[in-house]
Amino acid sequence: MLELMEWLAEHGVTTVVKVDGDRMVERRAAWMVIVSGGALGKDSFFRADLATPEACLDSLLAHLEGKGLLPFA
């Protein structure tokens, strides 16, 4: 995940990954990833709230692929 975040930053994309302790205790989707800007375009904003960091990563990679951005390709 850190390598992907660095790659995104090198392409001007702001990335936030968060785990919410309150949601975790409540057994809700505690992991969140947000990306915006840079190579994604001015009006692009993506957010996923999911149960695991792996699910967030998978969701983010699918979003990036849909935008034509293929990290490490």
Side-chain angles (χ1 to χ4, degrees), residues 21-41:
D22 291 333
R23 288 184 189 178
M24 184 75 72
V25 169
E26 295 168 359
R27 305 253 184 229
R28 297 188 301 145
W31 289 88
M32 176 180 64
V33 62
I34 296 173
V35 292
S36 65
L40 294 174

Side-chain angles (χ1 to χ4, degrees), residues 8-9 11-14 36-44 69:
L8 289 168
H11 289 82
V13 178
T14 299
S36 65
L40 294 174
K42 184 189 284 188
D43 295 326
S44 72
L69 292 173

